[in-house]
Amino acid sequence: MKKRGVTGRIIAVLTAAAMLLGCSAQSTTQSTTQSSTENSTPDSTQSSTESSIPDATQGSTQNSTGMQTETVRLQDNYYDAVNHERIEAWEIPADRSAYGSLTAMQEKVEDRMWELIQNTPNDTEADPDSDTGRLSALYLTGMDMETRNREGYGILTEVISGIKNAKTVEELLLINAGINRRYGNSFLYNIGFGAADPEDSNHKVIGLGSVETGLEREIWLAEDEEDQKQAAYFTDYVQRLFELNGYSTGEAKETTEAVCGMMKEIAAAGLEAAEFYDPSRAYLRYTFGDLQKECPAALPDSVLKDVWGFSDQEIVTVEDIGALKKFSEYLTAENLDVLKAFMECTIYRDNAGFLTADMLDAKLDYEQQREGLSEKKSYEKTLLIQLNDMLASYECGRLYTETYMPEENKTEVEGIIRDIISVYHERIAALDWMSEPTKEKAIEKLDAISIQVAYPKVWEQDFYTVDLRKPEEGGLYIDNLFALFEARMEYMYNTRYDPVNRDLWVSQPQEVNAYYYPPTNSIYILAGIMQDPVYSADASYEAKLGAIGTVIGHELSHAFDVGGSQYDANGNVSNWWTEEDMNEFTARTGKVVDYYNEMGGRFQRVNGEQTLSENIADLGGMAVITELARKNDLDLTKVYEAYAVVWANKQRPDYASYLYLVDTHSPSALRVNAVLAATDAFYEVYDVKEGDGMYVAPESRPQIW
């Protein structure tokens, strides 16, 4: 669905950054290890991480895109040498854009969750407002395509009619504000609640999220001919949606050109992907009165005061002021028609998956084209993704963890986290480039990190009630969804001035992911990622450190990446660095950018600037795990091999190109090879010498944490 202000991008970064071990969940988003579950899911086909590692020093291998390569040595391409047997054995499923260790884990979660969801209607005694009751109603109405085809847009029918008949720009803004206020959705820009105030993390702040742009800035502005295909796929999809909704081919083409031209201009004025990690760029603080002066056309009193009831002095954080200002320029009478089409387009795109078979097919065809799939996803899998990832994610999460999350596994992972924090503590204390005053603040932050493992202490769905109807009760899928959105929004709005509930999570526990969340200074290791080969209770300690340990180390390092380093121990944006130390940190991060750009030329193309925060986290995680292994006299070959197995992956070419444009994580081969090539111990363990493909001169190996 739509981005939900600050929280929306956090979740986007958490599911698309956090798709496993990707970003830190910044005030608006960051994930944990991978930007997409498709390229970040561990292999659940083996019984333990250790047993899934081949004992090979060289072999015929495939690279991450599945293309055959020459025989490779560990010293030349560690990622391929370790993973060649499993990558050769994998075939990317027809309806997936990639397949790898993490994808296999995600498949296992999906299979388990689909079985649980399908069984919900069998519990005839369940309270309709329980997890089981809600899922039953959503599942049954989602599968009822006959009614979906007959009823069409349901509750949105009147909204679309209002947009088509609007006579002024202000009418459109009021329609958007009314939907935003009632349901939390928006078709222009979005106002949301619940995120922590960057300057006072114990209290919530209103957030104005990014303006709708259809595609990421990096896709709209791509210069490479191959990369430009992504924008072409999108515009074809938009035209098809207009045609399905009554436009002639000529009208649809002309309207699409105008709408997509507007989206591209707004995106070009907005932030780059990497800038969303930086709170000084992505979360600018205004009073509504001052923001009105910056963007008067977008924020008339009729919206801010009459719909929302905001005062001039109320504080709001703005995710992307550049995009908002550009959007405001379009809010003129001359642009009324394109603005109406813009809103229609957003409604069609946001809800295509919940409507008629024709609309759903259009969406699935676009996804197939965008990701280079040989077969589009089935209706059933699409419904599962909708329920599990977006609509009833916490209802699914509680059912999943109650069924599949052993308490002893949770306890062990919590212990591993404490072990790693202890070593991180020692490493910070021993840094030769950081002064004592800054070290004290860094250690204070490290010691204050909240450890969250497997599932939350409290569940979002327990804070509101909702009436969802089954097909025999006249229920319609789209109407059930909006009833759910309305209940959530009412809770968020009514509690907007309450203190932040630090026990509520911003990502569902069954996700194959982990993340660090700066506003609460918390690390989250989700139940979905606690599977082999990332975690197995039966694995050796070496294998655990190489897999789940590097995930944990990665997330802890996000507390000290270019974005996380701007938050203090309490989760507030605060400068706790001396000027000299910050200058040195900035110089070292510049070396990380240069290093990854150079390594990308060897293994897989990468944008070192765009992936900087995630690369810092990868490097920091491996540094602390290597030291922990050495302190315990462990076999580092097992640690490093377990790490490489986690990132085993191959992708369809179109999907790899898409990720290059938008992903803030490096591709899989670099998450292994670039990290290990920067680790001094790796050279000792494998006798890597100058002239080997993995060799990097000592002075060129970036070191921060």
Side-chain angles (χ1 to χ4, degrees):
M1 292 303 293
K2 289 297 295 166
K3 297 183 286 284
R4 289 175 284 178
V6 179
T7 304
R9 183 164 293 270
I10 293 177
I11 291 174
V13 171
L14 292 177
T15 57
M19 271 176 189
L20 190 58
L21 306 181
C23 339
S24 88
Q26 292 277 0
S27 311
T28 65
T29 310
Q30 277 179 330
S31 79
T32 141
T33 1
Q34 258 312 36
S35 73
S36 141
T37 305
E38 292 286 4
N39 33 315
S40 63
T41 308
D43 181 2
S44 60
T45 61
Q46 302 291 338
S47 61
S48 80
T49 304
E50 187 174 26
S51 65
S52 66
I53 299 168
D55 180 15
T57 57
Q58 63 181 34
S60 177
T61 168
Q62 290 182 326
N63 63 24
S64 60
T65 60
M67 302 300 292
Q68 191 70 26
T69 65
E70 296 178 0
T71 298
V72 91
R73 301 165 58 243
L74 289 165
Q75 294 84 355
D76 289 329
N77 186 331
Y78 190 84
Y79 169 84
D80 277 352
V82 169
N83 289 315
H84 73 274
E85 289 183 3
R86 70 175 41 77
I87 292 178
E88 280 186 342
W90 283 335
E91 289 186 12
I92 301 176
D95 64 347
R96 285 193 182 273
S97 53
Y99 196 82
S101 292
L102 298 179
T103 326
M105 291 172 67
Q106 185 63 32
E107 280 190 337
K108 189 172 183 179
V109 171
E110 290 173 358
D111 289 345
R112 288 171 165 179
M113 206 59 251
W114 188 235
E115 182 177 359
L116 290 172
I117 290 170
Q118 287 180 301
N119 284 333
T120 57
N122 297 330
D123 188 355
T124 56
E125 302 300 317
D127 182 336
D129 198 35
S130 66
D131 294 340
T132 300
R134 292 182 187 181
L135 280 166
S136 177
L138 290 168
Y139 166 68
L140 291 172
T141 53
M143 291 293 291
D144 184 7
M145 191 58 72
E146 181 180 351
T147 301
R148 287 171 60 173
N149 286 336
R150 184 179 66 247
E151 300 297 329
Y153 282 83
I155 199 169
L156 289 174
T157 302
E158 187 176 343
V159 177
I160 296 170
S161 177
I163 292 169
K164 288 180 176 291
N165 294 323
K167 298 296 190 293
T168 66
V169 171
E170 188 170 15
E171 280 186 66
L172 294 179
L173 291 173
L174 287 171
I175 290 171
N176 184 73
I179 293 295
N180 193 181
R181 166 63 186 88
R182 184 172 179 182
Y183 300 111
N185 297 63
S186 71
F187 311 124
L188 295 172
Y189 62 82
N190 178 283
I191 291 176
F193 307 91
D197 187 336
E199 294 187 7
D200 181 4
S201 61
N202 290 319
H203 294 90
K204 298 175 183 178
V205 68
I206 300 164
L208 197 154
S210 294
V211 178
E212 174 62 45
T213 59
L215 295 172
E216 294 88 344
R217 180 183 190 275
E218 288 72 16
I219 293 179
W220 279 127
L221 302 183
E223 296 180 356
D224 184 89
E225 184 176 349
E226 186 70 18
D227 295 335
Q228 290 172 348
K229 292 194 305 185
Q230 290 292 337
Y233 297 154
F234 178 77
T235 55
D236 288 346
Y237 173 49
V238 170
Q239 179 172 333
R240 182 175 174 186
L241 291 178
F242 279 124
E243 291 173 354
L244 287 172
N245 285 279
Y247 286 68
S248 69
T249 299
E251 291 170 337
K253 187 176 189 309
E254 182 179 353
T255 304
T256 296
E257 289 175 356
V259 168
C260 289
M262 179 178 169
M263 288 180 172
K264 183 176 181 178
E265 282 198 20
I266 295 170
L271 296 175
E272 298 177 7
E275 292 176 317
F276 285 103
Y277 283 77
D278 185 349
S280 69
R281 295 174 180 266
Y283 315 110
L284 301 184
R285 189 181 178 89
Y286 291 85
T287 65
F288 271 116
D290 288 341
L291 186 58
Q292 264 189 312
K293 294 173 185 176
E294 296 263 2
C295 307
L299 299 162
D301 281 349
S302 57
V303 168
L304 292 184
K305 296 178 180 177
D306 297 347
V307 175
W308 287 107
F310 297 145
S311 70
D312 288 342
Q313 298 308 308
E314 195 142 19
I315 300 297
V316 58
T317 59
V318 180
E319 190 174 48
D320 192 340
I321 190 64
L324 182 63
K325 287 180 177 180
K326 175 58 67 174
F327 165 72
S328 298
E329 295 176 9
Y330 273 91
L331 299 177
T332 64
E334 292 77 12
N335 289 318
L336 180 62
D337 287 340
V338 69
L339 287 168
K340 291 162 75 169
F342 185 98
M343 290 181 72
E344 278 189 68
C345 173
T346 305
I347 290 177
Y348 300 151
R349 287 178 42 249
D350 283 355
N351 297 286
F354 315 131
L355 297 168
T356 64
D358 286 345
M359 291 289 284
L360 176 56
D361 278 337
K363 174 183 171 63
L364 295 178
D365 287 342
Y366 166 59
E367 291 175 352
Q368 179 181 0
Q369 193 175 35
R370 181 187 68 195
E371 299 175 20
L373 310 181
S374 56
E375 181 180 293
K376 64 185 177 186
K377 291 181 175 66
S378 67
Y379 289 179
E380 291 79 7
K381 179 167 283 189
T382 302
L383 179 60
L384 166 65
I385 292 170
Q386 290 170 354
L387 298 182
N388 190 48
D389 293 354
M390 323 176 357
L391 306 177
S393 55
Y394 290 98
E395 287 85 351
C396 288
R398 183 152 56 187
L399 288 179
Y400 181 88
T401 54
E402 286 176 350
T403 308
Y404 295 110
M405 190 65 249
E407 189 66 24
E408 57 269 25
N409 292 8
K410 179 177 183 292
T411 300
E412 182 179 37
V413 170
E414 289 169 343
I416 294 173
I417 294 174
R418 287 189 288 270
D419 290 345
I420 295 171
I421 288 176
S422 177
V423 174
Y424 220 126
H425 193 292
E426 295 172 5
R427 288 186 65 82
I428 291 175
L431 289 174
D432 60 5
W433 61 268
M434 182 180 280
S435 68
E436 290 304 318
T438 306
K439 285 182 183 179
E440 289 177 6
K441 291 294 185 181
I443 290 172
E444 177 187 352
K445 180 174 185 178
L446 184 67
D447 289 344
I449 287 177
S450 173
I451 297 173
Q452 306 282 335
V453 174
Y455 51 83
K457 296 177 182 177
V458 297
W459 295 87
E460 172 191 284
Q461 65 267 35
D462 292 340
F463 290 92
Y464 53 82
T465 60
V466 61
D467 180 23
L468 304 180
R469 294 185 296 167
K470 297 180 179 180
E472 63 267 25
E473 299 165 334
L476 176 65
Y477 190 42
I478 189 71
D479 289 353
N480 275 338
L481 304 189
F482 274 79
L484 191 58
F485 299 155
E486 184 174 15
R488 288 175 179 164
M489 184 58 181
E490 198 61 20
Y491 163 71
M492 298 295 288
Y493 184 78
N494 290 336
T495 60
R496 66 192 184 280
Y497 299 123
D498 290 358
V500 171
N501 186 340
R502 291 176 179 249
D503 290 329
L504 280 173
W505 286 17
V506 296
S507 192
Q508 55 268 27
Q510 73 276 23
E511 198 175 295
V512 178
N513 201 7
Y515 61 95
Y516 169 77
Y517 188 52
T520 58
N521 191 25
S522 302
I523 180 176
Y524 296 79
I525 307 298
L526 309 185
I529 200 173
M530 292 170 62
Q531 306 176 53
D532 180 60
V534 172
Y535 171 79
S536 169
D538 298 329
S540 68
Y541 191 51
E542 287 99 334
K544 288 173 182 173
L545 285 186
I548 193 73
T550 55
V551 170
I552 294 164
H554 172 106
E555 300 314 328
L556 290 172
S557 296
H558 270 307
F560 307 103
D561 66 17
V562 290
S565 61
Q566 298 183 53
Y567 292 81
D568 64 18
N570 296 314
N572 299 321
V573 174
S574 172
N575 182 11
W576 45 271
W577 297 69
T578 66
E579 183 177 356
E580 294 79 7
D581 290 342
M582 179 51 71
N583 289 339
E584 177 62 23
F585 177 69
T586 301
R588 287 171 177 261
T589 62
K591 291 180 180 178
V592 174
V593 172
D594 294 341
Y595 172 75
Y596 272 84
N597 284 335
E598 192 278 328
M599 292 298 281
R602 297 193 198 182
F603 298 107
Q604 266 181 297
R605 70 172 181 162
V606 67
N607 181 329
E609 186 70 39
Q610 181 170 298
T611 57
L612 174 60
S613 284
E614 297 303 326
N615 295 336
I616 291 172
D618 279 345
L619 293 167
M622 181 54 69
V624 72
I625 290 303
T626 294
E627 183 155 334
L628 179 56
R630 282 186 149 177
K631 283 170 65 72
N632 288 279
D633 197 26
L634 301 178
D635 184 346
L636 278 171
T637 64
K638 294 181 180 179
V639 174
Y640 295 154
E641 288 171 2
Y643 177 66
V645 169
V646 168
W647 295 113
N649 177 63
K650 60 183 177 183
Q651 304 162 343
R652 299 185 188 278
D654 281 355
Y655 188 61
S657 297
Y658 172 75
L659 288 180
Y660 170 75
L661 292 173
V662 304
D663 198 353
T664 54
H665 306 79
S666 290
S668 297
L670 283 176
R671 298 197 76 164
V672 175
N673 289 346
V675 170
L676 292 177
T679 304
D680 292 342
F682 174 75
Y683 292 79
E684 302 169 20
V685 171
Y686 290 103
D687 193 27
V688 178
K689 295 182 172 60
E690 189 170 1
D692 292 336
M694 290 289 293
Y695 181 83
V696 173
E699 64 273 13
S700 298
R701 300 170 197 167
Q703 301 287 335
I704 299 182
W705 301 111

